[in-house]
Structure formats: structure tokens, C-alpha cells
Amino acid sequence: MRARLDSTSEPLQALAMNIWDVMTIPRDDLGRGARVRVRIAGDAEALMVEMARVMAAEVVEHTRQGRPTCLIVPVGPVGQYRHLARLVQDEGLDLSGTTLIQMDEFLDESGALIDPQHPLSFRGFLDREFFATLPPERAPKPEQRVCPDPIAPDRIADRIREAGGVDVCFGGIGLNGHLAFNEPEPEASVDDFASRPTRVLDVAPASRAHMAVNLSCALALIPTRAVTLGMNEILGARRVRIFANRSWQQGIVRLAVHGPLSASCPASLLRLHEDTEIVITDEVAQPVEVRLR
């Protein structure tokens, strides 16, 4: 849950606010003195297996306690879902009592959710690549597969209350530090940005450009609007677990954990939370050598 930082909350007040220095923080010093824990989990595939394992362990523990599970889940990263499906298919993991709240979704030109058949639909990806692969009796029920609604974004808060709160928010970090589509707002105060609710917004040009690069497609194909869970919902989860599996995340992970606490880097606000862990690959753990090549 969210906590307020004070001047003594992060012992490393000598954290290099110079971004060049932040990029060079050694592997073994990542997370040292910071509120956010950093854990290294091997290569990219090992990290996806670990993410699925952590998600499954949450469900198993709550089942043992006789209570349901509520998770916020991303589409990005995506590799964890095939491993989670395997745990359901082959090892009897039961998700039938689990509520999965999708972090975000693109909108079409009318402001509605893009069709699940759209190749960039996050809902469509989850339906095809995850839910459709599960034994029906152990899959989350359709009403427990929650996507934020651009017409009634405040309904997410109601669904979270109905579920008894979010147990864990899982996610990734964008190139500009966004979490879900909470894009940087350099003029916003930390407290104001941390209170942003689920809402409709413009996708930042940097986010659209980066997605086009990742997909090797024309920028014009990337939607310009989205609905996203807010930082309020993310920081309101009991635990936050972020997974970074891409080489380009070397820099943004360091900035989030050891750079300035600012709405200019939304992921830096994870330091407001009492129980956040970022799990990274060996590659992401390596310090950044910033130079032309």
C-alpha cells in the first residue's frame, strides 16, 4: 500500500541525481538503500517463468486461505501467460476464483475500446493467447476478466472494492517510465500524480513511437488514445511486482529506482509503495555505457 516518503526514507540521499551517473550504477548496487527492492532472475525466458510462478503462488496461497484473488495484470510483458497457462493445464492451478483486472486498452477514433479482433488489442491478446487455452472449469469466469471502461472509468474502483482490494499489481515499465498508460507529467506534483485515477488519455508520442519500433511498423498504426488504470489503483494494491525483460530497460529501471522522485518518470513513484519489487534480467542488471556506437 502507498506510503509517504520523507527526507530520511531513502538512506542513499547521495543517490546521483545526475542521470549520467544513475546509468552507471553497478549490478550489485541496484536497489541498495532504496525503498524498491530489485531482484535479478536470469535471462528473459527465466524471468517470464518467474513472473508466472509468482502469479500462481499468489493464487495458491489465497486458495489455501479460502479466499479469492484479485490481480492487476499487464499485456507487456506477455511471455508469462504461456507459462501461467501451462501451470493451469498441466499442474492443476485453478484460476476460477481469481479476478484479473487488465491495466489498459487502446481506444478507437470514436473513443470506444478497440475491437478484440484488432491486432493491437490487449483484450484480444489475453482472450486468444491465454483464456482460450485454459480448461474452462479452471479459467477465470468471464465476469472476472475486467477491462477498464472508457465510458465509466470510475467503475474500476467499484470492482476493486467488490473484490476486497487488489492483492498484487503486476506490470512492466515503458521506455519513458510509464506504468500502464500513466504517461509522464513533468508539471504535476508527486502527490497529485500518485492520485490519478483510472481515466482516458492521449498516449504519449514517445510511447507510440517506441511501440512502433518494437513492432517494426508504421507509427500511424499505433492508436493515439487509451484507457488506463491510474497510479491511484496501482499504488493502492497490497503488493506491486514489476518485471523488466528488455535490454532497453537498463536505463529506465535505474532511473525509476535511483533517479529523482518525479511525475516525469511515473515508475519512480513506485518508491511511494511499502512493498514493491522489480524483477529484472541479467541483461537489464548491467550498467549502461552511454556512447555512440
Side-chain angles (χ1 to χ4, degrees), residues 158-185:
D158 297 334
R159 292 301 303 267
I160 289 173
R161 281 192 294 272
E162 292 165 5
V166 174
D167 294 296
V168 186
C169 173
F170 291 93
I173 301 178
L175 182 66
N176 62 359
H178 75 202
L179 297 172
F181 276 125
N182 291 282
E183 304 286 14
E185 293 185 31

Side-chain angles (χ1 to χ4, degrees), residues 13 42 65 72 144 158 162 166 175 211 216 233 252 263 275:
Q13 288 305 307
Q65 295 173 6
I72 293 173
Q144 294 169 320
D158 297 334
E162 292 165 5
V166 174
L175 182 66
M211 188 167 190
S216 300
E233 286 78 30
I252 195 58
D275 188 354

Side-chain angles (χ1 to χ4, degrees), residues 1 20 31 52 61 69 80 121 129 141 154 188 252 279 286 292:
M1 301 294 283
W20 288 87
E61 175 59 21
T69 302
Q80 70 277 9
S121 169
E129 305 296 330
K141 299 177 178 64
D154 55 353
I252 195 58
V279 185
Q286 295 308 309
L292 294 176

